[in-house]
Amino acid sequence: MPLAGIALAPLLVSPLPPPSPRGSVAAVSAEPARRRRALRRVRCSAAAASGGGGDAVELSRATLLWRAAKLPIYSVALVPLTVGTAAAYNHAGLFFARRYFGLLAAAVLVITWLNLSNDVYDSDTGADKNKKESVVNIVGSRAATQYAANVSLLLGFGGLFWAFAEAGDVRFIVLVLCAILCGYVYQCPPFRLSYRGLGEPLCFAAFGPLATSAFYFSNSSRSISSRTAALLPLSKTVIASSILVGLTTTLILFCSHFHQIEGDRAVGKMSPLVRIGTKTGATLVTVAIGTLYTLLTAFGISRCLPPSCIVLGALTLPLGKWVVDYVQRNHDDDTKIFMAKYYCVRLHALFGMALASGLALARNGILA
């Protein structure tokens, strides 16, 4: 079963505490502690958002290294792989543990390339000039960061082609290479499509239909005796799952721009939020969260997803509402809205866990 990967997701989720239930005794008694934690988060986010050099908001090197590592963001490697693998398990009962963990390592390496090269090219344009947690600014060398990015990509390619040799399904390698191509044109010259406001559509395509479907096809099995591959058919379940994964991933990217509007505008990076402003952006977040759960329900009614996915997915509704409320309250406050992307990471990881768990449970006749 692909539940081994599901168990890893909490390790990559932001360590921020989830909202406590309203009206509970525990919530009342924990209020002072929550306020202290919130104050610390605001102070740290103020430093990161402003990029200022004042001693009063100086971050420790350990904090800068943690933020530069972007560990919570690596859920975008784990979730498409786990959901795609769970969809294959749901359809055919297939799960190859060695292949899964090999692909997880490869996906992490590709995301490392994406993060490092993004810092490199943003330093070229000046977008990260005042971003203290930029790897280029921490290391002090653009060349070293670019070299590390390229090595990560090459190692990632090695893992992907190994999985392709194991699965024998050309659809897997074609789709995953298309997903990586989306990442390249997103940030790398001469394209830099993120500067034209196309980052979100590329993100949706790369991590949703392309990557999630690719990882589903990675579970095709090659017959040793006949040297042919037993190919998985494209199913409505993986299509529906990939759309939902694409939505939650894109929400992370969209919300990461709220506190960067002035800096993006200064260097000509026309992200959607630069074009529409934070108020309309907050409304779009509400629409996106509503769309996510509407689609989840529609896919359940149409039997694209089993009832177990709908039940478990519905359990994440309080977190979805938390994201909506937080963005609505703080969309014009750079020091607080910095944290919105981490709440979106938590929603992305938990929603992905719900989908994968539901698919695995349905295969075993639970809530099927």
Side-chain angles (χ1 to χ4, degrees):
M1 290 176 64
L3 297 181
I6 297 171
L8 295 174
L11 301 178
L12 296 178
V13 177
S14 170
L16 300 175
S20 300
R22 293 181 179 178
S24 68
V25 175
V28 174
S29 62
E31 185 65 25
R34 279 209 310 274
R35 288 178 179 174
R36 289 194 297 271
R37 288 194 296 267
L39 181 58
R40 287 196 296 269
R41 292 198 301 268
V42 168
R43 286 173 179 168
C44 291
S45 62
S50 65
D55 294 338
V57 293
E58 193 69 30
L59 293 176
S60 69
R61 185 169 181 82
T63 300
L64 289 176
L65 290 173
W66 168 258
R67 291 191 173 181
K70 301 185 179 89
L71 288 184
I73 303 299
Y74 284 85
S75 64
V76 302
L78 179 66
V79 170
L81 171 61
T82 304
V83 172
T85 300
Y89 178 78
N90 175 267
H91 179 82
L94 298 172
F95 176 59
F96 305 97
R98 186 179 67 154
R99 195 180 306 173
Y100 174 87
F101 286 106
L103 279 171
L104 179 59
V108 166
L109 286 166
V110 171
I111 298 300
T112 300
W113 160 75
L114 193 66
N115 287 335
L116 292 177
S117 59
N118 184 66
D119 281 359
V120 167
Y121 296 120
D122 276 350
S123 73
D124 290 345
T125 63
D128 282 357
K129 181 180 180 181
N130 296 317
K131 186 178 179 182
K132 293 183 180 181
E133 66 267 30
S134 165
V135 175
V136 174
N137 292 339
I138 292 174
V139 174
S141 171
R142 178 195 183 282
T145 307
Q146 179 73 78
Y147 179 78
N150 292 339
V151 169
S152 295
L153 183 60
L154 287 175
L155 292 174
F157 272 141
L160 294 173
F161 278 96
W162 165 80
F164 168 55
E166 290 281 309
D169 192 334
V170 71
R171 294 172 298 176
F172 158 67
I173 198 65
V174 169
L175 288 173
V176 82
L177 289 178
C178 287
I180 294 173
L181 180 62
C182 286
Y184 184 87
V185 300
Y186 166 82
Q187 62 191 10
C188 300
F191 306 99
R192 299 188 198 274
L193 296 185
S194 63
Y195 282 68
R196 302 179 187 180
L198 297 176
E200 280 72 12
L202 287 169
C203 178
F204 174 83
F207 292 98
L210 293 176
T212 305
S213 299
F215 290 133
Y216 166 78
F217 290 130
S218 74
N219 288 277
S220 294
S221 58
R222 184 185 293 275
S223 171
I224 297 177
S225 58
S226 63
R227 296 186 180 277
T228 59
L231 304 182
L232 289 169
L234 181 62
S235 68
K236 60 183 180 180
T237 298
V238 73
I239 293 173
S241 299
S242 69
I243 291 172
L244 297 175
V245 170
L247 278 174
T248 57
T249 311
T250 305
L251 197 60
I252 298 172
L253 177 63
F254 184 81
C255 287
S256 71
H257 292 146
F258 271 101
H259 70 286
Q260 298 177 333
I261 289 179
E262 294 305 320
D264 287 347
R265 183 181 288 116
V267 298
K269 187 174 183 177
M270 302 303 294
S271 70
L273 283 169
V274 171
R275 298 176 185 273
I276 66 178
T278 63
K279 185 175 182 180
T280 304
T283 301
L284 276 182
V285 170
T286 302
V287 171
I289 296 291
T291 301
L292 177 68
Y293 291 101
T294 299
L295 285 176
L296 176 67
T297 304
F299 290 148
I301 293 173
S302 62
R303 305 297 294 179
C304 292
L305 293 175
S308 50
C309 288
I310 315 309
V311 172
L312 295 180
L315 295 179
T316 66
L317 263 169
L319 184 54
K321 184 178 185 303
W322 173 262
V323 172
V324 168
D325 291 345
Y326 188 86
V327 172
Q328 288 289 345
R329 286 196 310 267
N330 303 302
H331 65 85
D332 57 351
D333 186 335
D334 286 351
T335 62
K336 292 182 179 179
I337 199 62
F338 176 82
M339 305 308 300
K341 63 182 177 183
Y342 292 109
Y343 289 123
C344 291
V345 167
R346 174 161 289 191
L347 176 62
H348 171 67
L350 295 182
F351 193 90
M353 290 167 62
L355 278 180
S357 299
L359 290 168
L361 290 174
R363 175 67 188 185
N364 290 279
I366 303 174
L367 294 175

